[in-house]
């Protein structure tokens, strides 16, 4: 499907492995970057409390702020309901 086409709905790509350190985050960020570079609209979801995917896309101060919030703020993060 070409970028911007409305023929089909959004496509979800999930990369998973129970094993750590095998390249899940690296492959995710590079796949997302390549698709965005090809003209696709891309949403990446970082569900890891260590925020390692986020750290590829945001500056260090912002990532530190997210980490502090996830430790100290009870309840849903970032206004989620
Ligand atoms: N194709 C690759 N070749 C060499 N090193 C890689 C490759 N993919 C990932 N790495 C390195 O391996 C380490 C773990 O990768 P990471 O993506 O954080 O794994 P995971 O998310 O599965 O825990 C990182 O230091 C990363 O830079
Ligand atoms: Mg990871």
């Amino acid at each position: 499907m070409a970028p911007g086409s409305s023929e089909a709905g959004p496509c979800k790509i999930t990369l998973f492995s129970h094993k750590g350190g095998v390249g899940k985050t690296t492959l995710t960020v590079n796949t997302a970057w390549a698709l965005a570079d090809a003209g696709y609209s891309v949403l990446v979801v970082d569900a890891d409390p260590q925020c390692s995917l986020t750290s590829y896309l945001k500056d260090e101060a912002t990532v530190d702020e997210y980490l502090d919030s996830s430790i100290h703020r009870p309840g849903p993060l970032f206004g989620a309901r």
Side-chain angles (χ1 to χ4, degrees):
M1 187 176 69
S5 166
S6 58
E7 288 171 17
C11 172
K12 283 184 245 174
I13 301 172
T14 303
L15 299 164
F16 74 96
S17 170
H18 291 297
K19 191 166 171 57
V22 293
K24 298 182 298 290
T25 299
T26 308
L27 187 57
T28 298
V29 75
N30 282 290
T31 301
W33 195 278
L35 288 169
D37 196 46
Y40 290 93
S41 297
V42 179
L43 171 69
V44 288
V45 178
D46 187 358
D48 187 332
Q50 292 181 338
C51 297
S52 49
L53 174 58
T54 303
S55 69
Y56 279 92
L57 305 169
K58 292 288 193 178
D59 61 84
E60 196 175 332
T62 304
V63 174
D64 283 347
E65 194 181 314
Y66 290 167
L67 287 167
D68 284 346
S69 300
S70 69
I71 292 167
H72 300 301
R73 187 189 305 167
L77 294 178
F78 315 127
R81 300 274 182 253

